[in-house]
Amino acid sequence: MPETIFLNFVDMDLGAITKYSALHAKPNGLILQYGTAGFRTKAEHLDHVMFRMGLLAVLRSKQTKSTIGVMVTASHNPEEDNGVKLVDPLGEMLAPSWEEHATCLANAEEQDMQRVLIDISEKEAVNLQQDAFVVIGRDTRPSSEKLSQSVIDGVTVLGGQFHDYGLLTTPQLHYMVYCRNTGGRYGKATIEGYYQKLSKAFVELTKQASCSGDEYRSLKVDCANGIGALKLREMEHYFSQGLSVQLFNDGSKGKLNHLCGADFVKSHQKPPQGMEIKSNERCCSFDGDADRIVYYYHDADGHFHLIDGDKIATLISSFLKELLVEIGESLNIGVVQTAYANGSSTRYLEEVMKVPVYCTKTGVKHLHHKAQEFDIGVYFEANGHGTALFSTAVEMKIKQSAEQLEDKKRKAAKMLENIIDLFNQAAGDAISDMLVIEAILALKGLTVQQWDALYTDLPNRQLKVQVADRRVISTTNAERQAVTPPGLQEAINDLVKKYKLSRAFVRPSGTEDVVRVYAEADSQESADHLAHEVSLAVFQLAGGIGERPQPGKTFE
């Protein structure tokens, strides 16, 4: 261990770290893993993790010489759970090597804490004399306030400065971090700055809409009894001339995420509890920390129609492509999907809109990373988590075009400039995405049914198969092909040939010993048959345990 690092830690008072750490003691035998969503578990098991993530945020801030964010939330999980995730300098997710440090630090026994902190500082060449600044946000869970205080204890004991924003949506904290690390160029790092930036762009955009009356301008929003309700209520007067929102599940009586929210609506294919829907009314649901959104409506016959992330990405990317054609700019636009995206959405984008589509592994960090490769990159998971990213060069080019082009082209360039301001490019953001969608529907004069009718989803089915060890399955080609066990991919290929417009893939779960099966085909019956046959092949070739897969058993 380099002596300077040890001496610097002595300067920081290892005694104080030990003393405070004992006040946030780790329960015996608890092992947690930092994943895409950070740490998540029952709230009563997280006090030590919060304290230690405060410590880690200070080290990351010193290493990057930047503001780092810490968000206390468990997103769409039940109210009893909680979680924490760190936000890197440009509002992105924590770097993979630091995810490993987070896991290591969270699981360290008390007597090993000092050693682990010194190890991380040594590996990452952290200058311990560097100043550190951490911003903290939390959701509305009963446990969040106390847990965020534990984060602050960790930050202060290592000598870090902090700003506690209190109640925020997760994307708002990402926005604050991005603003603070770009010298205010991206926006003002206050909640009013967020509201004003998005609302100004939205109002400017909707002024261009030719449709009159309020049929496009009224929206029912299910806020999952979470933080989204508080923030949307604070924000609505900023944009009320462009949109009237009616809030449901606003936290005044129901439990967070219970029978409501984006995850519930998508999984159960039905509206949330507590929301009456008339036919053809436009409705949407946020999840608990407002970083996902899905839309839906009832048709005249009372049938429920879900508009998921695939259709949101299609609406947005098609509109962006139309604006680019109007302006005459041949910028490099791409849509990023996962293997779970419905085949009809991919076909519509590639064949009708002529927008290139790329596939990545499941997980927001993979989508976000790929989207950064384009001048304009749009990504959404089917669950409604996504955004659009615009390169700095594009932003400058569009700003110039908005000032220089003749009337019609200038108008399109101005629209694109406002759309860029309306997106939260730091993270998928339900509020920002909602305003983008509402603006596009108004500008194009589209009803929710017309949007839904852009293409018809292929019927699909998801199943899961229990296996002794999920690691026997390995995949390639963005998880669309199985490499091992031998013979599995060949078996899937043969099964797929039996059905029209069909495809199927399998991938190991990230959290449990199950293999997830996805199949789609030209009819629900065919999709169900194909999914069942593929799950049998997985059971036979990948070490299935328990009962053989039975036809008709499903999961969402």
Side-chain angles (χ1 to χ4, degrees):
M1 167 181 63
E3 202 173 317
T4 49
I5 284 182
F6 181 72
L7 288 173
N8 287 337
F9 259 110
V10 171
D11 291 346
M12 282 187 188
D13 192 354
L14 284 170
I17 295 171
T18 305
K19 184 179 130 195
Y20 265 89
S21 188
L23 298 175
H24 300 282
K26 172 181 173 291
N28 279 336
L30 182 67
I31 301 288
L32 295 170
Q33 177 78 33
Y34 193 104
T36 302
F39 290 112
R40 277 191 203 167
T41 188
K42 290 278 174 278
E44 64 266 24
H45 297 150
L46 280 167
D47 178 56
H48 73 294
V49 173
M50 298 293 170
F51 172 71
R52 294 172 184 202
M53 289 309 101
L55 300 173
L56 191 72
V58 170
L59 295 183
R60 182 66 171 152
S61 175
K62 287 174 182 289
Q63 191 225 20
T64 58
K65 302 183 175 61
S66 306
T67 296
I68 294 295
V70 180
M71 185 70 201
V72 178
T73 182
S75 190
H76 54 274
N77 280 36
E79 195 174 88
E80 307 72 55
D81 292 357
N82 216 319
V84 59
K85 58 181 174 184
L86 271 64
V87 179
D88 254 359
L90 294 180
E92 71 273 58
M93 290 154 91
L94 188 61
S97 63
W98 282 77
E99 287 185 3
E100 288 174 30
H101 298 325
T103 299
C104 199
L105 187 58
N107 294 324
E109 298 304 331
E110 289 298 321
Q111 66 272 21
D112 299 325
M113 280 278 292
Q114 294 180 13
R115 181 186 56 76
V116 172
L117 287 167
I118 291 167
D119 278 355
I120 294 168
S121 303
E122 186 185 322
K123 273 183 193 149
E124 298 292 348
V126 177
N127 173 8
L128 295 168
Q129 302 305 311
Q130 175 71 37
D131 289 340
F133 198 87
V134 176
V135 291
I136 299 148
R138 66 176 190 270
D139 71 10
T140 54
R141 290 162 199 274
S143 58
S144 289
E145 189 169 4
K146 187 171 179 295
L147 290 173
S148 71
Q149 188 53 54
S150 302
V151 174
I152 291 168
D153 286 353
V155 172
T156 50
V157 79
L158 265 189
Q161 300 293 303
F162 71 92
H163 179 81
D164 181 10
Y165 280 101
L167 292 165
L168 283 185
T169 71
T170 297
Q172 284 171 343
L173 185 76
H174 284 257
Y175 166 89
M176 301 303 174
V177 173
Y178 197 11
C179 290
R180 283 174 176 269
N181 288 317
T182 49
R185 284 192 308 279
Y186 182 68
K188 203 170 163 197
T190 63
I191 197 66
E192 288 77 25
Y194 171 92
Y195 294 154
Q196 285 164 355
K197 181 183 180 191
L198 269 62
S199 301
K200 181 171 176 282
F202 176 74
V203 171
E204 287 286 317
L205 267 172
T206 48
K207 274 183 195 161
Q208 312 284 330
S210 53
C211 49
S212 56
D214 61 2
E215 60 180 303
Y216 301 111
R217 306 302 176 87
S218 162
L219 176 68
K220 289 186 167 177
V221 186
D222 156 34
C223 298
N225 289 316
I227 182 70
L230 256 71
K231 296 301 162 185
L232 205 47
R233 192 147 274 150
E234 286 175 7
M235 188 180 182
E236 62 182 320
H237 72 273
Y238 286 89
F239 61 71
S240 53
Q241 65 192 93
L243 177 69
S244 152
V245 290
Q246 202 180 342
L247 308 191
F248 294 84
N249 298 315
D250 63 358
S252 54
K253 45 183 188 292
K255 274 180 80 171
L256 178 70
N257 295 322
H258 182 61
L259 304 176
C260 60
D263 212 48
F264 172 84
V265 171
K266 173 139 178 48
S267 306
H268 294 83
Q269 299 279 317
K270 65 179 184 185
Q273 212 172 51
M275 186 194 269
E276 285 298 312
I277 306 181
K278 298 194 190 84
S279 71
N280 298 323
E281 271 187 325
R282 216 167 52 259
C283 308
C284 70
S285 284
F286 294 177
D287 70 338
D289 64 340
D291 66 356
R292 294 180 183 187
I293 185 170
V294 294
Y295 270 70
Y296 45 93
Y297 67 98
H298 272 153
D299 64 22
D301 297 327
H303 294 132
F304 176 81
H305 293 254
L306 177 76
I307 299 178
D308 66 5
D310 295 342
K311 241 170 205 161
I312 293 172
T314 302
L315 179 76
I316 290 168
S317 53
S318 301
F319 185 69
L320 292 173
K321 174 82 187 283
E322 286 164 15
L323 286 181
L324 290 176
V325 169
E326 185 78 60
I327 300 163
E329 286 286 2
S330 57
L331 293 168
N332 171 14
I333 183 170
V335 175
V336 188
Q337 299 182 327
T338 71
Y340 286 105
N342 195 277
S344 289
S345 71
T346 314
R347 261 186 219 102
Y348 178 83
L349 284 164
E350 290 183 332
E351 294 170 16
V352 179
M353 292 312 301
K354 309 291 185 211
V355 174
V357 178
Y358 300 85
C359 192
T360 71
K361 286 166 71 171
T362 306
V364 176
K365 61 183 171 190
H366 301 299
L367 291 150
H368 193 92
H369 185 69
K370 184 69 183 174
Q372 288 172 320
E373 294 177 14
F374 306 98
D375 293 331
I376 301 175
V378 179
Y379 73 85
F380 272 83
E381 292 186 294
N383 64 25
H385 188 162
T387 188
L389 306 178
F390 303 84
S391 71
T392 314
V394 165
E395 293 190 38
M396 287 168 63
K397 208 173 202 181
I398 297 304
K399 218 173 260 302
Q400 285 171 347
S401 300
E403 290 160 10
Q404 293 167 359
L405 294 168
E406 70 266 20
D407 275 1
K408 200 176 174 195
K409 286 185 173 183
R410 186 163 66 239
K411 187 178 165 187
K414 191 71 196 156
M415 275 189 199
L416 189 47
E417 196 181 349
N418 285 321
I419 287 264
I420 291 170
D421 280 343
L422 193 43
F423 271 110
N424 182 349
Q425 293 186 58
D429 182 339
I431 294 175
S432 154
D433 292 340
M434 176 191 84
L435 293 174
V436 169
I437 290 162
E438 291 300 314
I440 294 173
L441 292 176
L443 287 163
K444 290 179 71 67
L446 284 176
T447 64
V448 68
Q449 308 91 298
Q450 287 168 324
W451 173 21
D452 189 28
L454 287 177
Y455 62 83
T456 304
D457 276 335
L458 282 169
N460 56 81
R461 177 63 66 209
Q462 293 186 44
L463 300 174
K464 57 184 177 182
V465 182
Q466 273 203 299
V467 291
D469 181 0
R470 66 181 184 273
R471 290 170 300 182
V472 302
I473 299 257
S474 62
T475 62
T476 185
N477 190 17
E479 301 178 313
R480 290 174 292 185
Q481 285 181 297
V483 178
T484 60
L488 179 58
Q489 187 56 49
E490 290 75 10
I492 294 170
N493 294 346
D494 289 343
L495 292 168
V496 164
K497 284 175 193 160
K498 293 163 56 177
Y499 303 97
K500 289 180 186 159
L501 296 177
S502 64
R503 69 183 181 102
F505 67 88
V506 301
R507 54 181 285 272
S509 161
T511 53
E512 52 186 331
D513 277 322
V514 300
V515 175
R516 301 189 184 278
V517 173
Y518 178 92
E520 64 184 32
D522 64 336
S523 71
Q524 191 62 59
E525 190 184 8
S526 294
D528 289 349
H529 280 310
L530 177 56
H532 172 62
E533 289 170 345
V534 170
S535 64
L536 276 177
V538 169
F539 190 85
Q540 286 157 1
L541 296 168
I545 56 172
E547 194 186 355
R548 283 168 68 83
Q550 299 299 311
K553 282 206 174 177
T554 66
F555 92 104
E556 289 295 346

